[in-house]
Amino acid sequence: MTSFPCRIGLFLCLCFYMTVRSYASDVPVIQVDKAIDIGDSVAVRILKTRLRERNLTFAPEKSNSVRFELDSTLALDEYRISLQNETIILSASEKRGFVYAVGKLLRGTPQNGEFRYFGETGTFSPKSPMRGVYFATHFGNFHESAPLSEVERYIEDMALYGVNILVVWFDFHQYSGIDDPNALAMIERLHAMLRKANEVGMAGGLTLLANEAYYTSPQELRAEPFPHHYKVEICPSDPKGLDLICQWRAEMLDQFADLDIRYICVWPYDQGGCRCERCAPWGCNGFLKCAEAIARIVREKLPQAKIFLSTWEFGYFYPDDLEWKGLYTQLNERPDWIDGVLIEHHGDFPAFVLQNGPPKDYPIVNFPEISMYAMSPWGGFGANLQCNRLIRVWNSAKTFLSGGFPYSEGIYEDINKFICIQLYWSPDRSLDSILKEYVQANFGLLCEDDLKCVLAAIMQLETQMAHSVNQQKLQIAKNLLQESNLSFSVDGNNPYPEVYKLGSDPSNMGEPLKLLANVSERLPETVRKSWRWQVLWCRAVLDDELIKSGGRPTETSENCLKILSEIYHDNQVPDDVVPWIQVPRVGRK
C-alpha cells in the first residue's frame, strides 16, 4: 500500500503534468537560452500573449517549439530565424533584436488553424539606423483619446514592425503653464507612452517647436505670427523672450528626464516662427538662434540625446530658397549643437535638396506625411492608403536617408506605417512584397486568389483617394435628423443633402468591395472583427455606398461611420473644434 506522503507526491506530480499539458495546448513550448538576460523576456511575454490570442491548434505529434538563443555575433537590431526539425529558433544579441524576431515570426504564423511558421528564414539586418514613428497627440485623435491600454498595445505593434524610436510632442499652446492640471495629465499620458516604448526596446524622442509658448505668454514678447500661428508664440530676438523660451523648455524636459530619451527634434513651423525683421528669414536666422539655445539646455538635461533640426515648410514663406541657402551656409561650419537634419515637405521631397544634395556629413531623416493626404477628415472614411506615393517619394531620396519618423494622426494609416518601416529596413524592397507580408500577417495565410483580391482592393482604393466633406451640408443633415428624425432613405428618394465627395471617377468605385466581400466569407471571425480589417472594409463599403447615393448619407454609410468612430475613440471632442479629425457621421451627438 502506498504511503500517504507518496500519494501526496503522486498527486502533486499529476497536477504539475496537467498544468504543463494544458499550457502546452495553449501556446507552443518556448525555450529560452540560459545566457539571455531576464530583461530580454519582454519578447517571450509578447510571443506568449499574441499566440494565445490566435485560434491555433498545436499538434501533439509535433514538438511545436520556439527557442530563443543568444548570439553575440549578431549586430545591434539584427536577428535570425531558422528552423531545426519542428523547432523555430530566434537568435539575437539583445532585447530589441528578439522583439523584432518575434514580430517577424508572428507575421509568418497563421491567424487560426495549425501552428506553423510560413515566413522567411535567414538573418535580417536593418539598413537605416533610425526607424522611428511620431504619434501626434492632439485634437482628440486616437493617440490622445483612446484608452491608454490600446495605445500601449499599438506601441508594442510598432516594436514588432521594427520601430526603434517613438517620438511624441508636448504642445504648449493649450495650457497656462507646466502646472496646469490638463498639462500635467498630458505629460502623464506622454510619459506612459514613452515608458512603454522603452519597455519594448524603443528609444524615446521628443519633438518641439523652437518658440512655442503657453497661452499665458506676455503680450509684449509675442512673435509676429505666420499663417498657422496660435498667436501666443514668442519672439526669440528679444532677450527676455529667449530667456522665457529656455525657462519653459527646461521645465518641460525635466518631466521626461527619467526616461530613455535619445532624440530631440526642434521644428521651425507649422505654428512656430516669427516674421519680425530681427528674426527674418526665420529658417536660417531666428529659428537657429532659438534652436541653439534650446540645444544647450538639452545637452544639460538629456546628455544622451541627439539633436535634429527640422526643415519642415522651409521655403513656404520666403522666396528664392532663401532659408535653404542660409541653412546650408551655416551647416557647412559644422555647429557642435546639431547632430542631424530632418527634411520633408507636405508632398514631394524638397526640390532644393534633390537638386543640390543633402547637407554634408549629417544624418538625414524624413517625415513622411501618411495621415492627411487626399482625405478629409483624415481617416474619416476608413483606410487612408498612400502605398505608391510613399514608394515614389522614398525612391527619390533613399540614397541619402538614414531613416525617418512617419507622421501619425491615428491608426487608419497602419498600412502606410508598415510600408515606411519596412523601407527603413530594406530600402529597395518592392511594394508588392511589403503588402503581401502585411496582408498575410493580419488577415491570415490566404490562398493565392484571395491574396490577389485583397492586394488589388488596396491598390484600387488608393487610386480612389479624393475624400472630403461639405461641413455646411453635414450640419444641415444633422439638423434634419435631430428635428425631423427622417429616414436616410425614403422610397428611394433620400431627403438629405450631398454631404460627401469621393473620387472623381465613379465607374468602378464599387470594385474593391466586391473583391473584399469574396474574401471576407472565408476569413476567421476574429479577423473580420479586427480593427485592421474593419478600417479597410468600411473604406470599401463607404466608397461603394456613397458613390451610389450621390454623396448622401444612408443607413449603411452611417453604420460604417459609427464603427470607425468607435475604433478611433473620436467622440470626446465637440464637432466644431476639429472637423478634420472626427468621423463625419450625421448621427454623431
Side-chain angles (χ1 to χ4, degrees), residues 27 121 202-203 221 236 279 410:
V27 295
T121 58
M202 293 186 207
L221 298 179
C279 287

PDB file of all heavy atoms in Angstrom, residues 27 121 202-203 221 236 279 410:
ATOM      1  N   VAL A  27      -0.089  27.472 -25.925  1.00  0.00           N
ATOM      2  CA  VAL A  27       0.979  28.042 -26.752  1.00  0.00           C
ATOM      3  C   VAL A  27       2.026  26.957 -26.952  1.00  0.00           C
ATOM      4  O   VAL A  27       2.071  25.976 -26.218  1.00  0.00           O
ATOM      5  CB  VAL A  27       1.630  29.279 -26.080  1.00  0.00           C
ATOM      6  CG1 VAL A  27       0.639  30.415 -25.953  1.00  0.00           C
ATOM      7  CG2 VAL A  27       2.227  28.916 -24.733  1.00  0.00           C
ATOM      8  N   THR A 121      13.046  32.721 -43.593  1.00  0.00           N
ATOM      9  CA  THR A 121      14.110  32.396 -42.652  1.00  0.00           C
ATOM     10  C   THR A 121      15.382  33.109 -43.103  1.00  0.00           C
ATOM     11  O   THR A 121      15.482  33.587 -44.236  1.00  0.00           O
ATOM     12  CB  THR A 121      14.362  30.881 -42.577  1.00  0.00           C
ATOM     13  OG1 THR A 121      14.701  30.395 -43.889  1.00  0.00           O
ATOM     14  CG2 THR A 121      13.129  30.151 -42.066  1.00  0.00           C
ATOM     15  N   MET A 202      12.340  50.347 -27.497  1.00  0.00           N
ATOM     16  CA  MET A 202      12.471  51.574 -28.288  1.00  0.00           C
ATOM     17  C   MET A 202      13.108  52.683 -27.469  1.00  0.00           C
ATOM     18  O   MET A 202      12.871  52.800 -26.258  1.00  0.00           O
ATOM     19  CB  MET A 202      11.094  52.079 -28.736  1.00  0.00           C
ATOM     20  CG  MET A 202      10.354  51.235 -29.713  1.00  0.00           C
ATOM     21  SD  MET A 202       8.864  52.164 -30.195  1.00  0.00           S
ATOM     22  CE  MET A 202       7.775  50.818 -30.614  1.00  0.00           C
ATOM     23  N   ALA A 203      13.870  53.535 -28.132  1.00  0.00           N
ATOM     24  CA  ALA A 203      14.288  54.788 -27.527  1.00  0.00           C
ATOM     25  C   ALA A 203      13.129  55.771 -27.612  1.00  0.00           C
ATOM     26  O   ALA A 203      12.229  55.627 -28.448  1.00  0.00           O
ATOM     27  CB  ALA A 203      15.511  55.342 -28.248  1.00  0.00           C
ATOM     28  N   LEU A 221       5.994  90.103 -25.550  1.00  0.00           N
ATOM     29  CA  LEU A 221       7.062  89.219 -26.022  1.00  0.00           C
ATOM     30  C   LEU A 221       6.621  88.348 -27.199  1.00  0.00           C
ATOM     31  O   LEU A 221       7.425  87.553 -27.709  1.00  0.00           O
ATOM     32  CB  LEU A 221       7.540  88.312 -24.883  1.00  0.00           C
ATOM     33  CG  LEU A 221       8.165  88.995 -23.656  1.00  0.00           C
ATOM     34  CD1 LEU A 221       8.562  87.958 -22.612  1.00  0.00           C
ATOM     35  CD2 LEU A 221       9.369  89.842 -24.064  1.00  0.00           C
ATOM     36  N   PRO A 236      12.199  85.263 -30.238  1.00  0.00           N
ATOM     37  CA  PRO A 236      13.472  84.992 -29.554  1.00  0.00           C
ATOM     38  C   PRO A 236      14.498  86.105 -29.718  1.00  0.00           C
ATOM     39  O   PRO A 236      15.548  86.064 -29.070  1.00  0.00           O
ATOM     40  CB  PRO A 236      13.951  83.708 -30.236  1.00  0.00           C
ATOM     41  CG  PRO A 236      13.391  83.772 -31.616  1.00  0.00           C
ATOM     42  CD  PRO A 236      12.060  84.446 -31.472  1.00  0.00           C
ATOM     43  N   CYS A 279      14.135  88.537 -36.820  1.00  0.00           N
ATOM     44  CA  CYS A 279      14.124  87.070 -36.931  1.00  0.00           C
ATOM     45  C   CYS A 279      14.182  86.584 -38.374  1.00  0.00           C
ATOM     46  O   CYS A 279      14.459  85.411 -38.625  1.00  0.00           O
ATOM     47  CB  CYS A 279      12.872  86.501 -36.270  1.00  0.00           C
ATOM     48  SG  CYS A 279      12.897  86.556 -34.462  1.00  0.00           S
ATOM     49  N   GLY A 410      -3.261  58.686 -36.259  1.00  0.00           N
ATOM     50  CA  GLY A 410      -4.177  57.657 -35.776  1.00  0.00           C
ATOM     51  C   GLY A 410      -3.743  56.282 -36.220  1.00  0.00           C
ATOM     52  O   GLY A 410      -2.560  56.025 -36.442  1.00  0.00           O
TER      53      GLY A 410
END
